[in-house]
Amino acid sequence: TDDDPLLVRVHSECCTGDVFGSLRCDCGPQLDAGLKRIEQEGRGCLLYLRGQEGRGIGLGHKIRAYALQDKGRDTVEANEDLGLPVDSRDYGIGAQILRMLGVTSMRLMTNNPAKYAGLTGYGLSIAERVPCLTSVNIENVFYLRTKQQKMGHWLPTEDFDAMLDAGGEVPVASTAEASVSTDDEPVDPEAQLELMREQLADACKELDRLRSLVEPRAESEGSLSVPHDSLNAGKRTGSVAPSALPPDNREVIIVHVRSDSQSHQSTTTGDAAARSASQRGQTMLRQCV
């Protein structure tokens, strides 16, 4: 209710940080911190938004941006060098989901001013912002400093480089506001490695399960795949395994083509194939989720 705002963490998908524990960002620790804080309070909501990998650019482009960052570009410059937006995430759907769950007033866990602004509306109000501060390490200090200086994130104003000059991994200094840190206990490297192995095994099982659902359907519908490099040529190829399809399923479009004599269905990666297909018959597109 409005008199009792709910603690909410809206978390953008980050495969590298959430699943594989990458130290290059603070996404994994922030996810753990959100869950821990909700557990401590006894009530709350953590909304995990899919399709927002790399601030909306997708996993493939994110890895390309990492390669540029290895050469000295920061996270903003790398996106711009690739001709991609710095942050293309839209929180409107997340706001609507929260509203459908009955949330009207919340205490939002975030350091991101864009997320704070994007979640207002749709009958939602933010009663309080709760910082979600994690630890700085040698791998993510440049990234965090860039978010603070170029993207306006609400992080402590201390110089991150000066903090690291003290040596080792230095927790971000607490502010007068409530904060969350997941590094209050020593981490056993062997235990952490075992946990990552278990998470990877679970992810592989889930991928196999999804493939088992997709492959029979593809065979029964006689689907054909049109690779990106053959779109301009308008060539049709044989079916391929789901693993060969584009990794970012937001870009996959199902094209249904109907003609007087026969029906075809193909999976493509762009509007170019849709235009080619429309010359052969009536085309119907729908987003593949």
Side-chain angles (χ1 to χ4, degrees), residues 5 18 24 40 43 56 83 130 133 136 151 160 169 171 178 247 250 270 276 280 286 288:
D18 300 340
R24 299 185 67 145
Q40 289 173 347
R43 62 190 295 269
V130 180
L133 305 180
V136 180
M151 303 175 68
F160 292 120
E169 183 171 304
R250 294 179 298 108
S276 175
R280 301 194 301 271
R286 67 178 176 83
C288 179

Side-chain angles (χ1 to χ4, degrees), residues 84-103:
L84 300 169
V86 174
D87 191 341
S88 63
R89 290 173 292 180
D90 184 345
Y91 301 104
I93 292 179
Q96 294 179 66
I97 292 174
L98 290 173
R99 190 67 183 89
M100 292 179 64
L101 291 173
V103 178

